[in-house]
Amino acid sequence: MKIQLLLTGNELMSGHTIDSNSAMIAEFLSGKGYSIHRKVTVGDEPLELLADMKRLCESGDILIMNGGLGPTLDDLTAQLLSDLTGKPLVENPIARRHLEDWCERRKSPLNNSNLKQAFLPEGVEIIPNPTGSAVGFTMVYEDCLIICTPGVPSELRTMMEQTIVDTICKRHPNDQQIDTIRLQTFGLGESTLQEMVNHDYGEWPEQVELSFRAGIPLLEVKLIIHDLSHKVIQQRCYQRLHELIGDFIIGEESTTLAESVVKLLQNRQTTITTAESCTGGLIASAITEIAGASAVFEAGFVTYSNRMKQQLVGVSELTLKMYGAVSEEVVIAMTKGALERSGADYGIAVSGVAGPGGGSAEKPVGTVWMAWGHKDNLRTRRMTLTTDRKRFQQMVTAITLDLIRRELLSLEPQPTYYQALKKG
Amino acid sequence: MKIQLLLTGNELMSGHTIDSNSAMIAEFLSGKGYSIHRKVTVGDEPLELLADMKRLCESGDILIMNGGLGPTLDDLTAQLLSDLTGKPLVENPIARRHLEDWCERRKSPLNNSNLKQAFLPEGVEIIPNPTGSAVGFTMVYEDCLIICTPGVPSELRTMMEQTIVDTICKRHPNDQQIDTIRLQTFGLGESTLQEMVNHDYGEWPEQVELSFRAGIPLLEVKLIIHDLSHKVIQQRCYQRLHELIGDFIIGEESTTLAESVVKLLQNRQTTITTAESCTGGLIASAITEIAGASAVFEAGFVTYSNRMKQQLVGVSELTLKMYGAVSEEVVIAMTKGALERSGADYGIAVSGVAGPGGGSAEKPVGTVWMAWGHKDNLRTRRMTLTTDRKRFQQMVTAITLDLIRRELLSLEPQPTYYQALKKG
């Protein structure tokens, strides 16, 4: 059974939009053991679109189309499907009622742009859309089930959850036996990890597919089997990986660094605070993005200027003058001040040169001093991360969260963090 | 001239990775007036990949391949191109030297996984990669120029900048006359905007293509002409849009809300502070992500608990007890305290129920109180944003930044912000 995806919209071709919908669709399907064979993206060019629709219907069993259902003139999906299948566009009563309700809830009149969304190829099955104006729909052509979905991610998500996954499972019951263990790691490069595995294993068991995915900031490692009778070998590989690189494993599935830290703090019934200069609140926001953060996080300090480092977290003027804002002494003082004023048990402080300006020969752009740890046991580290401002802030946030994670787990506190990073 | 893209890698099909590379490639090309006709994504499935390579070479003039150049076993690009073109894989001396230098810089030995990256089809032209281990390369097949690039975004970016755009311009000099004006707007929906334009214009001039792209949180509006002699009409449309929806326009090109606010504050030589509860530092980090933020931002307060709302920004215990943490009185007190302690001129404070827990009948999940403005003129607003925790934090951040932007520009401070949002 072959599932293919066709994404439409000039915005996807122009470089101003990043497509997250196809990853979401794939994630829903992989949860049921289905995978996507091919994904084609074209602009709002009717002839190109039509040619791809035809080819993908002929070469696959299911075609999921995304985008092109909106109210504006460049939304072409319904018209082109009518051209392809020969079914005329007619006003669909369910779609019409949906649009009326949608406008009613918004206390706005049903305008002609919206009304266009009620005209669909004859005989389609409607997929409800509880939030947006565009309903989805399905139809069959050349024995291929075509599923049309809106481009708005939250609407697509609801349709996948409530309707589409079931529709696919019913039409093509799954007999695959895929099972995947996903591990999130931080601090090792892909080739280092592959070498460690090669070196340790000699021959990696062929029943278990080992796959990597370099994300920002985590590297995902997957152990995939295609036959459930291989579960024992998969478990053995999993154990062995834990022995090899356990310190670098943040968690399973889609665990993030912040999730892991919040969970560790919750389990220990302890709390953390942050004093941030160069990251400007990003560490605090990473922690508070996690549901339940309020149990472990009461306060964070964004002390961007020297004056505020003195006033909010009590760094002395003398320390700032003697060592400069980007220094070991200052991050220690920041951590101590934040710990004292918040009453937290653990603290993180960072001060660095995010760039693009502000660097010097001694402290070039990318230099950062970090302090972290329990109030009775603070550690520090200097690194140089040569990258752009935004990425620098993300990397510093990830590294400090990992340093706290290691502290909480009593692991080696000074891993190399990618051989590519220069150490200060 | 037809440019097509082929992206490879199981990680792109599994739903765990979002592809940002193709948007980057498109952005570079559109800067030179080129556009991408079609983008195909397939997993690491050799036969599917080979079929797509062949078809895209035959149907286009340029094929940009992305991914599959890494050191691991699932990186197949070089092997498949060798199969397709009949050119044997040979050790490329430039690639080999590059790998030696790369390992030397990292003080790590050249391992076999890395060495695999030096074996490329005979006769390719190398594209230098100043940072990563994988060089890029080009070759010609069926009169189509194949350009192979690595999957790591920063490496791809450097290659596009330094080599690839030039290579394409030389091979296919551009005679197109595309010109695009991009506007970023906040607070209007796509169909509302389309209706306003329809209503105002009757007939929108056909020489100017009007196109929308709904992002998070901004809606991009584009005015595209395909003939430079239509510049005057484009300018007229641009002026008219400014008259129609000027208050909602954040800026041109890729201006963000935070950029716009930082710039306005810089121009007025004035400063801002933040006191955040439910956004947990996200507003501060949005501001400090902008280069030059230090001129306008000295300090931010993340006061997540009631105790810290008292201690860090001086909210009284009585106010918290009488009105609750999510209240108009508390956000006013938070703003005043933050203004006083930071010495800033403008302030933002938010307190809300980000969820998933913590809601009540009176203040359900999604409720937020915001206070903002100049120290002599604070305003407040309650909204209910029914969405997930992360999106809630992003939306609150965007709305407060826009409220400050409007304050700085003396614009109507209480726009509806999407008809879909319930007002408190």
Side-chain angles (χ1 to χ4, degrees):
Chain A
M1 207 269 293
K2 202 168 182 174
I3 303 177
Q4 303 190 98
L5 234 66
L6 178 55
L7 300 119
T8 71
N10 279 336
E11 71 279 9
L12 292 172
M13 306 311 278
S14 67
H16 303 315
T17 294
I18 290 171
D19 156 46
S20 61
N21 283 350
S22 53
M24 187 209 300
I25 294 172
E27 197 145 22
F28 271 106
L29 294 180
S30 75
K32 295 286 177 183
Y34 297 103
S35 57
I36 293 174
H37 271 72
R38 177 176 282 102
K39 182 174 90 187
V40 176
T41 315
V42 280
D44 298 323
E45 193 57 60
L47 292 179
E48 299 272 348
L49 252 170
L50 204 55
D52 282 314
M53 280 182 185
K54 192 164 161 25
R55 198 167 43 75
L56 293 171
C57 280
E58 286 165 359
S59 66
D61 303 292
I62 288 179
L63 172 60
I64 302 178
M65 294 196 53
N66 187 245
L69 297 184
T72 53
L73 294 175
D74 53 6
D75 291 303
L76 300 165
T77 299
Q79 180 62 58
L80 289 175
L81 278 175
S82 166
D83 295 348
L84 176 70
T85 60
K87 306 267 181 198
L89 285 187
V90 294
E91 188 178 86
N92 184 295
I94 303 177
R96 166 84 194 216
R97 190 152 359 101
H98 171 78
L99 283 162
E100 286 167 357
D101 291 350
W102 187 81
C103 287
E104 168 64 27
R105 284 206 304 277
R106 268 149 205 79
K107 312 257 178 280
S108 67
L110 183 60
N111 62 41
N112 283 330
S113 296
N114 284 132
L115 202 53
K116 165 177 171 293
Q117 297 175 291
F119 282 83
L120 302 177
E122 199 172 44
V124 300
E125 298 255 348
I126 296 294
I127 305 172
N129 182 346
T131 49
S133 65
V135 293
F137 58 91
T138 65
M139 61 194 298
V140 175
Y141 174 70
E142 293 274 339
D143 210 28
C144 174
L145 179 71
I146 307 173
I147 303 174
C148 296
T149 60
V152 179
S154 58
E155 300 175 15
L156 172 63
R157 176 177 292 278
T158 308
M159 285 190 193
M160 289 299 297
E161 265 168 7
Q162 299 185 350
T163 314
I164 296 171
V165 173
D166 283 350
T167 303
I168 293 173
C169 288
K170 258 178 222 154
R171 193 174 166 95
H172 294 281
N174 200 343
D175 52 358
Q176 282 212 48
Q177 301 196 310
I178 289 183
D179 187 82
T180 304
I181 297 178
R182 290 166 62 203
L183 297 172
Q184 303 297 334
T185 70
F186 181 72
L188 286 175
E190 199 171 330
S191 84
T192 309
L193 198 45
Q194 177 82 63
E195 280 299 310
M196 285 170 83
V197 170
N198 291 351
H199 185 265
D200 182 70
Y201 252 96
E203 300 240 345
W204 180 264
E206 63 175 14
Q207 298 90 335
V208 183
E209 187 188 329
L210 178 69
S211 162
F212 302 105
R213 194 263 310 179
I216 295 173
L218 301 178
L219 174 70
E220 180 174 285
V221 181
K222 280 189 285 192
L223 301 171
I224 307 163
I225 51 173
H226 296 269
D227 185 329
L228 295 182
S229 70
H230 299 144
K231 203 100 192 77
V232 178
I233 316 177
Q234 184 193 33
Q235 275 298 327
R236 214 183 300 140
C237 291
Y238 169 77
Q239 297 295 348
R240 192 70 198 117
L241 270 187
H242 259 281
E243 287 160 24
L244 272 177
I245 56 157
D247 291 6
F248 296 90
I249 295 176
I250 306 308
E252 303 202 357
E253 296 299 329
S254 54
T255 309
T256 65
L257 279 163
E259 261 171 28
S260 150
V261 167
V262 167
K263 204 172 150 194
L264 287 168
L265 291 165
Q266 279 173 339
N267 291 346
R268 285 161 177 69
Q269 298 191 296
T270 187
T271 57
I272 194 165
T273 187
T274 52
E276 304 178 62
S277 186
C278 58
T279 46
L282 197 60
I283 304 174
S285 74
I287 293 171
T288 54
E289 190 188 306
I290 310 304
S294 56
V296 304
F297 185 86
E298 283 199 81
F301 303 80
V302 185
T303 57
Y304 217 56
S305 70
N306 281 358
R307 196 164 69 91
M308 289 298 135
K309 286 183 185 73
Q310 295 173 54
Q311 200 165 311
L312 301 192
V313 289
V315 181
S316 79
E317 197 179 344
L318 186 66
T319 307
L320 282 161
K321 274 210 179 123
M322 277 184 68
Y323 304 102
V326 180
S327 66
E328 184 168 27
E329 290 75 8
V330 165
V331 288
I332 289 178
M334 284 168 72
T335 320
K336 285 186 175 165
L339 284 165
E340 198 184 296
R341 290 173 193 213
S342 68
D345 305 306
Y346 287 86
I348 294 174
V350 294
S351 183
V353 191
S360 66
E362 200 199 335
K363 293 171 186 171
V365 169
T367 305
V368 58
W369 269 104
M370 301 173 263
W372 74 97
H374 188 267
K375 54 191 170 191
D376 302 325
N377 180 28
L378 292 186
R379 299 171 186 273
T380 60
R381 181 152 184 194
R382 175 185 168 150
M383 290 181 91
T384 309
L385 304 163
T386 319
T387 178
D388 62 43
R389 181 180 178 89
K390 187 173 177 174
R391 186 75 191 275
F392 170 86
Q393 293 174 325
Q394 289 172 336
M395 288 299 291
V396 171
T397 298
I399 289 170
T400 51
L401 288 173
D402 191 55
L403 290 167
I404 277 288
R405 180 188 71 87
R406 287 175 172 264
E407 175 73 23
L408 287 164
L409 290 168
S410 309
L411 299 175
E412 163 61 54
Q414 303 268 23
T416 313
Y417 288 130
Y418 310 107
Q419 299 168 6
L421 300 180
K422 279 178 263 169
K423 284 205 287 178
Chain B
M1 205 268 294
K2 201 167 181 174
I3 304 178
Q4 304 189 96
L5 234 67
L6 178 56
L7 300 120
T8 71
N10 280 335
E11 70 281 10
L12 292 173
M13 304 312 277
S14 66
H16 303 314
T17 294
I18 289 170
D19 154 47
S20 61
N21 283 350
S22 53
M24 188 209 301
I25 294 173
E27 195 143 24
F28 271 107
L29 295 180
S30 74
K32 296 286 178 185
Y34 297 102
S35 57
I36 294 174
H37 271 71
R38 178 176 282 100
K39 183 173 89 184
V40 176
T41 315
V42 280
D44 298 324
E45 193 56 57
L47 291 180
E48 298 271 348
L49 251 170
L50 204 56
D52 282 315
M53 279 181 183
K54 192 163 161 24
R55 198 168 42 77
L56 293 171
C57 280
E58 286 166 359
S59 65
D61 303 293
I62 289 179
L63 173 62
I64 302 179
M65 293 195 53
N66 185 245
L69 297 182
T72 53
L73 294 175
D74 54 6
D75 291 303
L76 301 163
T77 299
Q79 180 62 58
L80 289 176
L81 278 174
S82 166
D83 296 346
L84 177 71
T85 61
K87 307 268 182 199
L89 284 186
V90 295
E91 189 178 85
N92 184 296
I94 302 177
R96 167 82 194 215
R97 189 153 0 100
H98 170 79
L99 282 162
E100 286 167 358
D101 291 349
W102 187 82
C103 287
E104 167 66 27
R105 283 208 304 277
R106 266 146 206 82
K107 313 258 177 278
S108 68
L110 183 58
N111 62 41
N112 283 330
S113 295
N114 284 132
L115 202 54
K116 166 179 170 289
Q117 297 176 292
F119 283 83
L120 302 177
E122 198 172 47
V124 301
E125 300 255 349
I126 296 293
I127 305 172
N129 181 348
T131 50
S133 65
V135 294
F137 59 90
T138 65
M139 62 193 297
V140 175
Y141 173 69
E142 294 274 340
D143 210 29
C144 174
L145 179 70
I146 306 173
I147 304 174
C148 296
T149 59
V152 181
S154 60
E155 300 175 14
L156 171 64
R157 177 176 291 280
T158 308
M159 285 190 190
M160 288 299 298
E161 264 168 10
Q162 298 185 350
T163 314
I164 296 171
V165 173
D166 283 351
T167 304
I168 292 174
C169 287
K170 257 180 221 152
R171 192 172 165 96
H172 294 279
N174 199 343
D175 52 0
Q176 282 214 47
Q177 301 195 309
I178 288 183
D179 187 81
T180 304
I181 297 179
R182 289 166 64 204
L183 297 172
Q184 302 296 335
T185 70
F186 181 73
L188 286 176
E190 199 171 326
S191 83
T192 309
L193 198 44
Q194 177 82 62
E195 280 300 309
M196 286 170 82
V197 169
N198 290 354
H199 185 266
D200 184 68
Y201 252 96
E203 299 240 342
W204 180 265
E206 63 174 13
Q207 299 92 336
V208 183
E209 187 188 330
L210 178 69
S211 160
F212 302 106
R213 194 261 312 176
I216 296 174
L218 301 180
L219 173 71
E220 181 173 284
V221 180
K222 282 190 284 191
L223 301 171
I224 307 163
I225 52 172
H226 296 270
D227 185 330
L228 295 183
S229 70
H230 298 145
K231 203 103 189 76
V232 178
I233 315 177
Q234 185 193 32
Q235 275 299 326
R236 215 182 300 144
C237 291
Y238 170 75
Q239 295 297 348
R240 192 70 199 117
L241 270 187
H242 259 281
E243 287 160 24
L244 272 178
I245 56 157
D247 291 6
F248 296 90
I249 295 175
I250 306 307
E252 303 202 358
E253 296 299 326
S254 56
T255 308
T256 65
L257 278 163
E259 261 171 30
S260 150
V261 168
V262 167
K263 205 172 151 196
L264 286 168
L265 292 164
Q266 280 173 338
N267 290 346
R268 285 161 176 70
Q269 299 192 296
T270 187
T271 57
I272 194 165
T273 187
T274 51
E276 303 178 63
S277 186
C278 58
T279 47
L282 196 60
I283 304 174
S285 74
I287 293 171
T288 55
E289 191 189 306
I290 310 304
S294 56
V296 304
F297 184 87
E298 282 200 82
F301 303 80
V302 185
T303 57
Y304 216 56
S305 70
N306 281 356
R307 195 163 71 93
M308 289 298 135
K309 287 182 185 73
Q310 296 173 52
Q311 201 165 310
L312 301 191
V313 289
V315 180
S316 78
E317 199 181 342
L318 187 66
T319 306
L320 282 161
K321 275 210 179 124
M322 276 184 67
Y323 304 102
V326 180
S327 65
E328 184 167 26
E329 290 75 8
V330 165
V331 289
I332 290 178
M334 285 168 71
T335 321
K336 286 186 174 165
L339 285 165
E340 195 185 296
R341 290 171 195 214
S342 69
D345 305 305
Y346 287 86
I348 294 174
V350 293
S351 183
V353 190
S360 65
E362 201 199 337
K363 293 170 186 171
V365 169
T367 305
V368 58
W369 269 105
M370 302 174 261
W372 74 97
H374 188 269
K375 54 190 168 192
D376 302 326
N377 179 29
L378 293 186
R379 298 172 188 272
T380 61
R381 182 153 181 193
R382 175 185 168 151
M383 289 181 92
T384 309
L385 304 163
T386 319
T387 178
D388 63 43
R389 181 180 177 91
K390 187 172 179 176
R391 186 75 191 279
F392 169 86
Q393 293 174 325
Q394 289 171 337
M395 287 299 291
V396 172
T397 299
I399 290 171
T400 51
L401 288 172
D402 190 55
L403 289 168
I404 277 288
R405 180 188 72 86
R406 287 177 171 261
E407 174 73 23
L408 288 164
L409 290 168
S410 310
L411 299 176
E412 163 61 53
Q414 302 269 22
T416 312
Y417 288 130
Y418 310 106
Q419 299 169 6
L421 300 179
K422 278 177 265 169
K423 285 205 287 179

